[in-house]
Amino acid sequence: MWNSATQFRWRLAVGPLVFVAALFLYPLARLLVLAFDDGGGFAEVLSNPRIRSSLWFTLWQATASTILTVMAALPLTWVISRFRFRGRDLVRALVTVPFVLPTVVVGVAFAASGMSGSVGGILAAHVFYNLAVVVRTVGGVWSRLDPALDQAARTLGASPIRAFRTTTLPLLAPAVAAASAIVFLFSFTSFGVVLIVGGLRHRTLEVEIYQQAITFLDLPAAGALAVLQLIGVVAVMTVYSRYQERRAVRFRMVAETDALIPVRTGRERVLVTTIVVATLAALLAPLWALVRRSFEGGLGGWRFLGDPGRIAIDPMAAMSSSLRIAAATTVIAVVVGGMASVVIAAGSDRLSRGFDVLIMLPLGTSAVTIGLGFLVSLGSLRTSFWMIPLAHALVAIPFVVRASTPTLRSIRSELREAAAVLGAPPSRVWREIDLPIVARAMAVGAGFAAAVSLGEFGATSFIARPETLTLPTMIFRLLGRPGAVTYSAAMASAVILMVTTAALILAVDRLRSNEVGSF
Amino acid sequence: MGLAVHGLVKRFGAKTALAGVDLEVNDGEVLAVLGPSGCGKSTMLRVIAGLESPDAGTVQWGGVDITSLPTHERGFGLMFQGYALFPHRTVGENVGFGLKMQGVERHEVEVRVADALSWVGLDGFARRHIEGLSGGEQQRVALARTLAPEPRLVMLDEPLGALDRRLRDRLVDEVAELLRARNATALYVTHDHDEADTVSDRVALMRSGVIAQVGTLAELRSAPADDWVADFVR
């Protein structure tokens, strides 16, 4: 049945659809053509031992990274979800910082920690980077789980551990699965970290694609690899969404303040302190190493940023173009992502699910694929300023959607119906009910979009031209040059990038923690 | 001529919620719809409000077919069972919402909101937040929000259902008085005989998706159409 609300939804769907079709599906189609054009492209690629070792490495390191991340995150997630203690909000915010740090910064930080070229460094960097995904995804549910459920199990005779296993864990399982799926996909398509820490000895598919395209100029091979990677991503997402559908138990969430208990016994205090301090120390160590290295040999690296001398890299210009690109990206991502989340949240039908996958695709597909797609399909358009923000928006939109869809979903359909009965046409219902409730979530999404853009490296490394270098691409260039001063300058730029994104994210987090939890 | 509903059918998958409902509400009449839970009362209101489209049958107002008119153009009021108050808006903004949608000027909205709030005994509540209200206060805000735009048909879905007995007994007279004073044309859904009797001019008995009988409660008692009706109104 087509009522006017459904029509409105379909009309709204057109914008994001055109956006994704033009900037993602079309380039992807060109990639496919390229990959199959050659005839034996796939067979050739798969029989190449170098590529086979990259494939194998991609799979096993993603699996290992996921398991390690979940294990490393669970203690802190428990502490944050169950206890009220001073500085809890700060801890939660600090844990989020690594996740939003540009991959280039993470890579440079682990390189500065003396882990260059080692598999351990790559895994550690992935845990470092993804910890927040688990803490926030699982903690978001756990901290708002009605403690009465656990208590009910206890009064029915379950021991604390049994109550956890039979009541809490099953309710958390979907969140753990969601977090694992995200961590796996991020590690599977990891680029910047592996490129910088792996030093070309350990290559993920992403790095392999980059090298095939940029170093060996073998676009068909790069295209074939991108297609292979896409198949893997789609497989993971399909399995994951099937699982979520099957597991979707709706349950009442309580306000966080009602679920948390104060730290009471001495044993609890020791446990909480140990877990918090250990986790934070592990997260801060590489960042500290980065700052220290930027000052190695005095202020030379920092001075270089203002006065690079006779080198074809202009740090100031890179910073200003990074800022302009971030502003443009934010506007595009909020508009398109906002439209998409309305379409997704308004139902649980095919349109909603299909759209969800479609919007997530660019993020899962990986930045490198997006960059390669732009490279092979957009011809002379590629030189336009707008290409970089558009590419960044493809990656940023999922963040906007993820930030606003749950809030939109939480609006009871009754509220919209009440507004309609009171005379509000569908577009007005959206403006009066959905928009105000979701505005704060949108602001959060906008903050993430800006952070994504400032740190984006994979796609940009394919499309940025020397005169439009962004901060991350400039850092990579600096790393590739000989000399202690340029190395320190790379570190210093990474510090600037780190501080900027961290400040942005902490501001966003303040918005989030003020959120009203009652609807 | 007020509301006329003919042969209304609504199915949800294999379940038939409405199996051919015929019903008329005269201008200025309060008709109570009485029936056990799950008999399709709420679905009927939702179809009349345009929130659900019927699989068969028509909804008419003043002799005009409005079956496919969008909800927001019907000019009806519906008070939801769970109230559906907008949590992000104040009491005054909730009550004034319908007036705002009609394009009523801001100053007049304020005046009429104050009026509506005084009808329900909530003078001075306009700036309060929804969150801090008690159940009884929320009920009154919902009622004021429904009545403020002066809808041509008022529909109330178990308006007192969520309140405890004592509060209900007190409020039912107030609601009855309010509807009469405004000369409202109203459909009042309830599963409580006393409530139906107090509030309405006539009662429509509903059973598994059809209207079993319409009349005053006294008429239904003295001349029940069948055993089920006799049993239910006893």
Side-chain angles (χ1 to χ4, degrees), chain A residues 1 4 412 414-415 417-426 428 432-433 436-437 516 518-519, chain B residues 46 51 53 71-72 76-78 80 82 84-89 97-98 100-101 131 145 149:
Chain A
M1 193 70 212
S4 51
R412 288 180 298 152
E414 251 190 7
L415 296 183
E417 291 175 356
V421 172
L422 288 164
R428 195 80 195 265
E432 300 281 348
I433 308 299
I437 292 182
V516 189
S518 59
F519 39 78
Chain B
R46 292 175 60 81
L51 295 170
S53 29
T71 300
H72 62 277
F76 293 171
L78 171 61
F80 288 74
L85 296 175
F86 306 134
H88 58 299
R89 296 179 176 279
F97 191 90
K100 202 169 121 190
M101 291 306 117
E131 262 174 272
R145 187 178 74 178

mmCIF file of all heavy atoms in Angstrom, chain A residues 1 4 412 414-415 417-426 428 432-433 436-437 516 518-519, chain B residues 46 51 53 71-72 76-78 80 82 84-89 97-98 100-101 131 145 149:
data_model
loop_
_atom_site.group_PDB
_atom_site.id
_atom_site.type_symbol
_atom_site.label_atom_id
_atom_site.label_comp_id
_atom_site.label_asym_id
_atom_site.label_seq_id
_atom_site.Cartn_x
_atom_site.Cartn_y
_atom_site.Cartn_z
ATOM 1 N N MET A 1 0.856 -1.201 0.000
ATOM 2 C CA MET A 1 0.000 0.000 0.000
ATOM 3 C C MET A 1 0.885 1.242 0.000
ATOM 4 O O MET A 1 1.798 1.368 0.794
ATOM 5 C CB MET A 1 -0.862 -0.040 1.270
ATOM 6 C CG MET A 1 -1.997 0.960 1.243
ATOM 7 S SD MET A 1 -3.259 0.504 0.055
ATOM 8 C CE MET A 1 -3.837 2.093 -0.446
ATOM 9 N N SER A 4 1.165 8.382 1.604
ATOM 10 C CA SER A 4 2.008 9.521 1.241
ATOM 11 C C SER A 4 3.355 9.479 1.974
ATOM 12 O O SER A 4 4.344 9.984 1.474
ATOM 13 C CB SER A 4 1.281 10.835 1.529
ATOM 14 O OG SER A 4 0.782 10.825 2.841
ATOM 15 N N ARG A 412 9.185 6.737 18.481
ATOM 16 C CA ARG A 412 8.063 5.828 18.297
ATOM 17 C C ARG A 412 7.214 6.280 17.122
ATOM 18 O O ARG A 412 6.982 7.472 16.942
ATOM 19 C CB ARG A 412 7.226 5.783 19.572
ATOM 20 C CG ARG A 412 7.907 5.034 20.694
ATOM 21 C CD ARG A 412 7.030 5.039 21.920
ATOM 22 N NE ARG A 412 6.804 6.412 22.386
ATOM 23 C CZ ARG A 412 5.727 6.797 23.052
ATOM 24 N NH1 ARG A 412 4.757 5.950 23.294
ATOM 25 N NH2 ARG A 412 5.602 8.035 23.470
ATOM 26 N N GLU A 414 4.253 6.172 16.818
ATOM 27 C CA GLU A 414 3.090 6.876 17.348
ATOM 28 C C GLU A 414 3.266 8.395 17.320
ATOM 29 O O GLU A 414 2.305 9.122 17.093
ATOM 30 C CB GLU A 414 2.866 6.453 18.802
ATOM 31 C CG GLU A 414 1.668 5.588 18.990
ATOM 32 C CD GLU A 414 1.341 5.400 20.466
ATOM 33 O OE1 GLU A 414 1.972 6.054 21.306
ATOM 34 O OE2 GLU A 414 0.468 4.593 20.751
ATOM 35 N N LEU A 415 4.484 8.844 17.580
ATOM 36 C CA LEU A 415 4.709 10.290 17.602
ATOM 37 C C LEU A 415 4.461 10.882 16.226
ATOM 38 O O LEU A 415 3.869 11.944 16.079
ATOM 39 C CB LEU A 415 6.133 10.608 18.065
ATOM 40 C CG LEU A 415 6.506 10.211 19.480
ATOM 41 C CD1 LEU A 415 7.912 10.670 19.796
ATOM 42 C CD2 LEU A 415 5.531 10.799 20.482
ATOM 43 N N GLU A 417 2.598 9.536 13.946
ATOM 44 C CA GLU A 417 1.163 9.416 13.672
ATOM 45 C C GLU A 417 0.393 10.530 14.360
ATOM 46 O O GLU A 417 -0.515 11.127 13.773
ATOM 47 C CB GLU A 417 0.651 8.049 14.139
ATOM 48 C CG GLU A 417 1.181 6.910 13.295
ATOM 49 C CD GLU A 417 0.775 5.549 13.826
ATOM 50 O OE1 GLU A 417 0.135 5.470 14.898
ATOM 51 O OE2 GLU A 417 1.094 4.556 13.165
ATOM 52 N N ALA A 418 0.766 10.808 15.608
ATOM 53 C CA ALA A 418 0.080 11.875 16.337
ATOM 54 C C ALA A 418 0.240 13.196 15.592
ATOM 55 O O ALA A 418 -0.720 13.963 15.453
ATOM 56 C CB ALA A 418 0.641 11.997 17.750
ATOM 57 N N ALA A 419 1.435 13.453 15.081
ATOM 58 C CA ALA A 419 1.672 14.685 14.331
ATOM 59 C C ALA A 419 0.823 14.719 13.065
ATOM 60 O O ALA A 419 0.240 15.748 12.724
ATOM 61 C CB ALA A 419 3.155 14.825 13.990
ATOM 62 N N ALA A 420 0.719 13.560 12.390
ATOM 63 C CA ALA A 420 -0.076 13.504 11.163
ATOM 64 C C ALA A 420 -1.546 13.772 11.467
ATOM 65 O O ALA A 420 -2.216 14.530 10.766
ATOM 66 C CB ALA A 420 0.087 12.144 10.485
ATOM 67 N N VAL A 421 -2.050 13.157 12.539
ATOM 68 C CA VAL A 421 -3.448 13.377 12.916
ATOM 69 C C VAL A 421 -3.689 14.845 13.224
ATOM 70 O O VAL A 421 -4.734 15.401 12.906
ATOM 71 C CB VAL A 421 -3.825 12.502 14.131
ATOM 72 C CG1 VAL A 421 -5.206 12.870 14.631
ATOM 73 C CG2 VAL A 421 -3.769 11.032 13.770
ATOM 74 N N LEU A 422 -2.692 15.484 13.820
ATOM 75 C CA LEU A 422 -2.827 16.903 14.165
ATOM 76 C C LEU A 422 -2.621 17.810 12.956
ATOM 77 O O LEU A 422 -2.568 19.024 13.083
ATOM 78 C CB LEU A 422 -1.843 17.270 15.270
ATOM 79 C CG LEU A 422 -2.192 16.700 16.655
ATOM 80 C CD1 LEU A 422 -1.006 16.770 17.588
ATOM 81 C CD2 LEU A 422 -3.380 17.438 17.252
ATOM 82 N N GLY A 423 -2.477 17.215 11.781
ATOM 83 C CA GLY A 423 -2.479 18.012 10.566
ATOM 84 C C GLY A 423 -1.136 18.232 9.905
ATOM 85 O O GLY A 423 -1.016 19.065 9.016
ATOM 86 N N ALA A 424 -0.098 17.493 10.312
ATOM 87 C CA ALA A 424 1.213 17.696 9.706
ATOM 88 C C ALA A 424 1.398 16.779 8.501
ATOM 89 O O ALA A 424 1.314 15.574 8.636
ATOM 90 C CB ALA A 424 2.307 17.441 10.729
ATOM 91 N N PRO A 425 1.636 17.349 7.307
ATOM 92 C CA PRO A 425 1.964 16.520 6.149
ATOM 93 C C PRO A 425 3.328 15.863 6.356
ATOM 94 O O PRO A 425 4.109 16.312 7.204
ATOM 95 C CB PRO A 425 1.994 17.506 4.988
ATOM 96 C CG PRO A 425 1.945 18.863 5.568
ATOM 97 C CD PRO A 425 1.569 18.772 7.002
ATOM 98 N N PRO A 426 3.647 14.788 5.580
ATOM 99 C CA PRO A 426 4.862 14.000 5.846
ATOM 100 C C PRO A 426 6.138 14.820 5.978
ATOM 101 O O PRO A 426 6.937 14.582 6.881
ATOM 102 C CB PRO A 426 4.934 13.070 4.641
ATOM 103 C CG PRO A 426 3.523 12.922 4.209
ATOM 104 C CD PRO A 426 2.842 14.219 4.502
ATOM 105 N N ARG A 428 6.450 17.821 6.885
ATOM 106 C CA ARG A 428 6.365 18.604 8.120
ATOM 107 C C ARG A 428 6.607 17.696 9.327
ATOM 108 O O ARG A 428 7.234 18.116 10.301
ATOM 109 C CB ARG A 428 4.974 19.241 8.184
ATOM 110 C CG ARG A 428 4.812 20.353 9.197
ATOM 111 C CD ARG A 428 5.361 21.661 8.664
ATOM 112 N NE ARG A 428 5.535 22.635 9.737
ATOM 113 C CZ ARG A 428 4.648 23.564 10.080
ATOM 114 N NH1 ARG A 428 3.506 23.671 9.427
ATOM 115 N NH2 ARG A 428 4.894 24.399 11.074
ATOM 116 N N GLU A 432 9.220 18.563 12.155
ATOM 117 C CA GLU A 432 8.783 18.871 13.520
ATOM 118 C C GLU A 432 9.153 17.778 14.515
ATOM 119 O O GLU A 432 9.348 18.044 15.694
ATOM 120 C CB GLU A 432 7.262 19.069 13.553
ATOM 121 C CG GLU A 432 6.757 20.199 12.674
ATOM 122 C CD GLU A 432 6.951 21.561 13.323
ATOM 123 O OE1 GLU A 432 7.252 21.628 14.526
ATOM 124 O OE2 GLU A 432 6.809 22.570 12.592
ATOM 125 N N ILE A 433 9.176 16.552 14.074
ATOM 126 C CA ILE A 433 9.403 15.444 15.008
ATOM 127 C C ILE A 433 10.807 14.869 14.855
ATOM 128 O O ILE A 433 11.610 14.880 15.775
ATOM 129 C CB ILE A 433 8.357 14.316 14.790
ATOM 130 C CG1 ILE A 433 6.942 14.881 14.820
ATOM 131 C CG2 ILE A 433 8.542 13.210 15.824
ATOM 132 C CD1 ILE A 433 6.553 15.537 16.124
ATOM 133 N N PRO A 436 14.223 17.694 14.987
ATOM 134 C CA PRO A 436 14.707 18.197 16.292
ATOM 135 C C PRO A 436 15.292 17.093 17.171
ATOM 136 O O PRO A 436 16.279 17.316 17.863
ATOM 137 C CB PRO A 436 13.456 18.785 16.947
ATOM 138 C CG PRO A 436 12.390 18.798 15.935
ATOM 139 C CD PRO A 436 12.793 17.959 14.796
ATOM 140 N N ILE A 437 14.667 15.932 17.128
ATOM 141 C CA ILE A 437 15.158 14.845 17.973
ATOM 142 C C ILE A 437 16.526 14.377 17.474
ATOM 143 O O ILE A 437 17.409 14.001 18.229
ATOM 144 C CB ILE A 437 14.135 13.684 18.008
ATOM 145 C CG1 ILE A 437 12.880 14.135 18.753
ATOM 146 C CG2 ILE A 437 14.732 12.444 18.679
ATOM 147 C CD1 ILE A 437 11.815 13.091 18.907
ATOM 148 N N VAL A 516 19.818 13.270 25.805
ATOM 149 C CA VAL A 516 18.728 12.817 26.660
ATOM 150 C C VAL A 516 18.459 11.356 26.330
ATOM 151 O O VAL A 516 18.322 10.993 25.175
ATOM 152 C CB VAL A 516 17.451 13.640 26.379
ATOM 153 C CG1 VAL A 516 16.396 13.325 27.414
ATOM 154 C CG2 VAL A 516 17.773 15.110 26.361
ATOM 155 N N SER A 518 15.880 9.502 27.210
ATOM 156 C CA SER A 518 14.555 9.032 27.607
ATOM 157 C C SER A 518 13.643 8.669 26.441
ATOM 158 O O SER A 518 12.571 8.150 26.641
ATOM 159 C CB SER A 518 13.860 10.080 28.469
ATOM 160 O OG SER A 518 13.757 11.272 27.740
ATOM 161 N N PHE A 519 14.072 8.964 25.216
ATOM 162 C CA PHE A 519 13.212 8.479 24.130
ATOM 163 C C PHE A 519 13.932 7.642 23.168
ATOM 164 O O PHE A 519 14.426 6.730 23.112
ATOM 165 C CB PHE A 519 12.547 9.602 23.339
ATOM 166 C CG PHE A 519 13.387 10.808 23.076
ATOM 167 C CD1 PHE A 519 14.345 10.803 22.090
ATOM 168 C CD2 PHE A 519 13.249 11.923 23.872
ATOM 169 C CE1 PHE A 519 15.108 11.911 21.858
ATOM 170 C CE2 PHE A 519 14.020 13.050 23.630
ATOM 171 C CZ PHE A 519 14.943 13.043 22.637
ATOM 172 N N ARG B 46 -7.808 3.709 13.877
ATOM 173 C CA ARG B 46 -6.657 4.010 13.023
ATOM 174 C C ARG B 46 -7.057 4.101 11.552
ATOM 175 O O ARG B 46 -6.523 4.918 10.805
ATOM 176 C CB ARG B 46 -5.555 2.968 13.222
ATOM 177 C CG ARG B 46 -4.913 3.044 14.622
ATOM 178 C CD ARG B 46 -3.909 1.919 14.837
ATOM 179 N NE ARG B 46 -2.823 1.958 13.866
ATOM 180 C CZ ARG B 46 -1.766 2.768 13.971
ATOM 181 N NH1 ARG B 46 -1.676 3.566 15.005
ATOM 182 N NH2 ARG B 46 -0.838 2.753 13.060
ATOM 183 N N LEU B 51 -4.552 6.312 9.342
ATOM 184 C CA LEU B 51 -3.224 5.779 9.655
ATOM 185 C C LEU B 51 -3.050 4.388 9.059
ATOM 186 O O LEU B 51 -1.936 3.931 8.849
ATOM 187 C CB LEU B 51 -3.002 5.734 11.173
ATOM 188 C CG LEU B 51 -2.969 7.101 11.865
ATOM 189 C CD1 LEU B 51 -2.984 6.952 13.372
ATOM 190 C CD2 LEU B 51 -1.750 7.880 11.418
ATOM 191 N N SER B 53 -4.802 1.934 5.800
ATOM 192 C CA SER B 53 -5.790 1.983 4.738
ATOM 193 C C SER B 53 -6.558 0.663 4.749
ATOM 194 O O SER B 53 -5.965 -0.401 4.922
ATOM 195 C CB SER B 53 -5.126 2.215 3.395
ATOM 196 O OG SER B 53 -3.840 1.681 3.398
ATOM 197 N N THR B 71 -3.998 11.306 6.175
ATOM 198 C CA THR B 71 -4.317 11.582 7.577
ATOM 199 C C THR B 71 -4.368 13.064 7.901
ATOM 200 O O THR B 71 -5.329 13.545 8.504
ATOM 201 C CB THR B 71 -3.243 10.927 8.467
ATOM 202 O OG1 THR B 71 -3.247 9.532 8.217
ATOM 203 C CG2 THR B 71 -3.532 11.170 9.937
ATOM 204 N N HIS B 72 -3.314 13.780 7.478
ATOM 205 C CA HIS B 72 -3.197 15.160 7.932
ATOM 206 C C HIS B 72 -4.232 16.096 7.323
ATOM 207 O O HIS B 72 -4.353 17.234 7.722
ATOM 208 C CB HIS B 72 -1.778 15.678 7.685
ATOM 209 C CG HIS B 72 -1.383 15.704 6.245
ATOM 210 N ND1 HIS B 72 -0.917 14.596 5.586
ATOM 211 C CD2 HIS B 72 -1.396 16.704 5.338
ATOM 212 C CE1 HIS B 72 -0.646 14.913 4.335
ATOM 213 N NE2 HIS B 72 -0.925 16.178 4.152
ATOM 214 N N PHE B 76 -9.374 15.330 11.747
ATOM 215 C CA PHE B 76 -9.859 14.567 12.887
ATOM 216 C C PHE B 76 -8.848 14.668 14.021
ATOM 217 O O PHE B 76 -7.685 15.008 13.814
ATOM 218 C CB PHE B 76 -10.016 13.082 12.525
ATOM 219 C CG PHE B 76 -11.101 12.813 11.513
ATOM 220 C CD1 PHE B 76 -11.231 11.540 10.949
ATOM 221 C CD2 PHE B 76 -11.992 13.803 11.129
ATOM 222 C CE1 PHE B 76 -12.227 11.287 10.016
ATOM 223 C CE2 PHE B 76 -12.994 13.547 10.200
ATOM 224 C CZ PHE B 76 -13.110 12.282 9.631
ATOM 225 N N GLY B 77 -9.298 14.338 15.223
ATOM 226 C CA GLY B 77 -8.363 14.277 16.346
ATOM 227 C C GLY B 77 -8.325 12.861 16.880
ATOM 228 O O GLY B 77 -9.347 12.177 16.899
ATOM 229 N N LEU B 78 -7.129 12.405 17.264
ATOM 230 C CA LEU B 78 -7.028 11.065 17.860
ATOM 231 C C LEU B 78 -6.153 11.140 19.098
ATOM 232 O O LEU B 78 -5.012 11.602 19.026
ATOM 233 C CB LEU B 78 -6.430 10.072 16.851
ATOM 234 C CG LEU B 78 -6.065 8.678 17.374
ATOM 235 C CD1 LEU B 78 -7.294 7.941 17.912
ATOM 236 C CD2 LEU B 78 -5.409 7.836 16.279
ATOM 237 N N PHE B 80 -4.091 9.052 21.522
ATOM 238 C CA PHE B 80 -3.510 7.711 21.511
ATOM 239 C C PHE B 80 -3.564 7.078 22.897
ATOM 240 O O PHE B 80 -3.502 7.769 23.911
ATOM 241 C CB PHE B 80 -2.060 7.778 21.046
ATOM 242 C CG PHE B 80 -1.903 8.067 19.593
ATOM 243 C CD1 PHE B 80 -2.138 9.335 19.079
ATOM 244 C CD2 PHE B 80 -1.512 7.064 18.718
ATOM 245 C CE1 PHE B 80 -1.996 9.599 17.735
ATOM 246 C CE2 PHE B 80 -1.359 7.326 17.365
ATOM 247 C CZ PHE B 80 -1.602 8.593 16.883
ATOM 248 N N GLY B 82 -1.282 5.386 24.391
ATOM 249 C CA GLY B 82 -0.075 5.706 25.163
ATOM 250 C C GLY B 82 0.237 7.195 25.150
ATOM 251 O O GLY B 82 1.341 7.608 25.474
ATOM 252 N N ALA B 84 1.363 9.350 23.248
ATOM 253 C CA ALA B 84 2.249 9.816 22.169
ATOM 254 C C ALA B 84 2.580 11.294 22.288
ATOM 255 O O ALA B 84 2.547 12.036 21.315
ATOM 256 C CB ALA B 84 1.629 9.516 20.795
ATOM 257 N N LEU B 85 2.892 11.737 23.476
ATOM 258 C CA LEU B 85 3.316 13.130 23.647
ATOM 259 C C LEU B 85 4.733 13.289 23.104
ATOM 260 O O LEU B 85 5.557 12.385 23.241
ATOM 261 C CB LEU B 85 3.262 13.508 25.131
ATOM 262 C CG LEU B 85 1.858 13.480 25.743
ATOM 263 C CD1 LEU B 85 1.929 13.736 27.238
ATOM 264 C CD2 LEU B 85 0.941 14.489 25.064
ATOM 265 N N PHE B 86 5.016 14.433 22.489
ATOM 266 C CA PHE B 86 6.342 14.658 21.905
ATOM 267 C C PHE B 86 7.336 14.964 23.020
ATOM 268 O O PHE B 86 7.220 16.006 23.672
ATOM 269 C CB PHE B 86 6.287 15.805 20.903
ATOM 270 C CG PHE B 86 5.239 15.614 19.836
ATOM 271 C CD1 PHE B 86 4.385 16.638 19.487
ATOM 272 C CD2 PHE B 86 5.109 14.394 19.184
ATOM 273 C CE1 PHE B 86 3.414 16.459 18.505
ATOM 274 C CE2 PHE B 86 4.147 14.198 18.205
ATOM 275 C CZ PHE B 86 3.292 15.232 17.867
ATOM 276 N N PRO B 87 8.306 14.095 23.229
ATOM 277 C CA PRO B 87 9.186 14.255 24.396
ATOM 278 C C PRO B 87 10.118 15.455 24.275
ATOM 279 O O PRO B 87 10.635 15.925 25.268
ATOM 280 C CB PRO B 87 9.991 12.948 24.408
ATOM 281 C CG PRO B 87 9.956 12.455 23.005
ATOM 282 C CD PRO B 87 8.659 12.923 22.422
ATOM 283 N N HIS B 88 10.330 15.931 23.047
ATOM 284 C CA HIS B 88 11.280 17.029 22.855
ATOM 285 C C HIS B 88 10.593 18.381 22.879
ATOM 286 O O HIS B 88 11.203 19.390 22.557
ATOM 287 C CB HIS B 88 12.032 16.830 21.543
ATOM 288 C CG HIS B 88 11.133 16.751 20.346
ATOM 289 N ND1 HIS B 88 10.175 15.779 20.210
ATOM 290 C CD2 HIS B 88 11.032 17.527 19.252
ATOM 291 C CE1 HIS B 88 9.538 15.968 19.066
ATOM 292 N NE2 HIS B 88 10.034 17.016 18.472
ATOM 293 N N ARG B 89 9.309 18.395 23.213
ATOM 294 C CA ARG B 89 8.590 19.660 23.226
ATOM 295 C C ARG B 89 7.923 19.867 24.580
ATOM 296 O O ARG B 89 7.629 18.909 25.291
ATOM 297 C CB ARG B 89 7.530 19.672 22.129
ATOM 298 C CG ARG B 89 8.152 19.583 20.763
ATOM 299 C CD ARG B 89 7.099 19.580 19.683
ATOM 300 N NE ARG B 89 7.741 19.578 18.376
ATOM 301 C CZ ARG B 89 8.209 20.667 17.800
ATOM 302 N NH1 ARG B 89 8.084 21.841 18.388
ATOM 303 N NH2 ARG B 89 8.807 20.596 16.633
ATOM 304 N N PHE B 97 0.513 22.168 18.892
ATOM 305 C CA PHE B 97 1.038 21.592 17.640
ATOM 306 C C PHE B 97 0.015 21.627 16.499
ATOM 307 O O PHE B 97 0.309 22.055 15.391
ATOM 308 C CB PHE B 97 1.500 20.149 17.894
ATOM 309 C CG PHE B 97 2.287 19.565 16.760
ATOM 310 C CD1 PHE B 97 3.658 19.697 16.705
ATOM 311 C CD2 PHE B 97 1.642 18.882 15.730
ATOM 312 C CE1 PHE B 97 4.381 19.165 15.655
ATOM 313 C CE2 PHE B 97 2.357 18.356 14.678
ATOM 314 C CZ PHE B 97 3.735 18.492 14.643
ATOM 315 N N GLY B 98 -1.212 21.166 16.803
ATOM 316 C CA GLY B 98 -2.243 21.113 15.768
ATOM 317 C C GLY B 98 -2.597 22.496 15.245
ATOM 318 O O GLY B 98 -2.806 22.688 14.045
ATOM 319 N N LYS B 100 -0.603 25.075 15.197
ATOM 320 C CA LYS B 100 0.529 25.504 14.387
ATOM 321 C C LYS B 100 0.412 24.920 12.978
ATOM 322 O O LYS B 100 0.692 25.588 11.992
ATOM 323 C CB LYS B 100 1.822 25.029 15.065
ATOM 324 C CG LYS B 100 3.052 25.798 14.661
ATOM 325 C CD LYS B 100 4.224 25.457 15.569
ATOM 326 C CE LYS B 100 5.370 24.907 14.776
ATOM 327 N NZ LYS B 100 6.438 24.344 15.607
ATOM 328 N N MET B 101 0.002 23.649 12.913
ATOM 329 C CA MET B 101 -0.142 23.011 11.608
ATOM 330 C C MET B 101 -1.227 23.699 10.773
ATOM 331 O O MET B 101 -1.177 23.714 9.556
ATOM 332 C CB MET B 101 -0.493 21.529 11.770
ATOM 333 C CG MET B 101 0.619 20.682 12.343
ATOM 334 S SD MET B 101 2.147 20.835 11.419
ATOM 335 C CE MET B 101 3.198 21.532 12.663
ATOM 336 N N GLU B 131 8.605 15.194 30.383
ATOM 337 C CA GLU B 131 9.245 14.182 31.226
ATOM 338 C C GLU B 131 8.781 14.190 32.678
ATOM 339 O O GLU B 131 8.581 13.165 33.286
ATOM 340 C CB GLU B 131 10.761 14.406 31.220
ATOM 341 C CG GLU B 131 11.495 13.541 30.269
ATOM 342 C CD GLU B 131 12.957 13.951 30.253
ATOM 343 O OE1 GLU B 131 13.312 14.844 29.462
ATOM 344 O OE2 GLU B 131 13.721 13.379 31.038
ATOM 345 N N ARG B 145 -4.283 18.380 23.876
ATOM 346 C CA ARG B 145 -3.679 18.448 22.547
ATOM 347 C C ARG B 145 -4.672 18.001 21.476
ATOM 348 O O ARG B 145 -4.701 18.541 20.375
ATOM 349 C CB ARG B 145 -2.416 17.571 22.499
ATOM 350 C CG ARG B 145 -1.659 17.725 21.195
ATOM 351 C CD ARG B 145 -0.388 16.907 21.180
ATOM 352 N NE ARG B 145 -0.649 15.484 21.020
ATOM 353 C CZ ARG B 145 0.302 14.577 20.939
ATOM 354 N NH1 ARG B 145 1.570 14.936 21.016
ATOM 355 N NH2 ARG B 145 0.018 13.307 20.795
ATOM 356 N N PRO B 149 -7.137 21.901 18.592
ATOM 357 C CA PRO B 149 -7.390 22.345 17.216
ATOM 358 C C PRO B 149 -8.861 22.265 16.821
ATOM 359 O O PRO B 149 -9.195 22.525 15.676
ATOM 360 C CB PRO B 149 -6.550 21.382 16.368
ATOM 361 C CG PRO B 149 -5.836 20.488 17.295
ATOM 362 C CD PRO B 149 -6.478 20.583 18.629
#
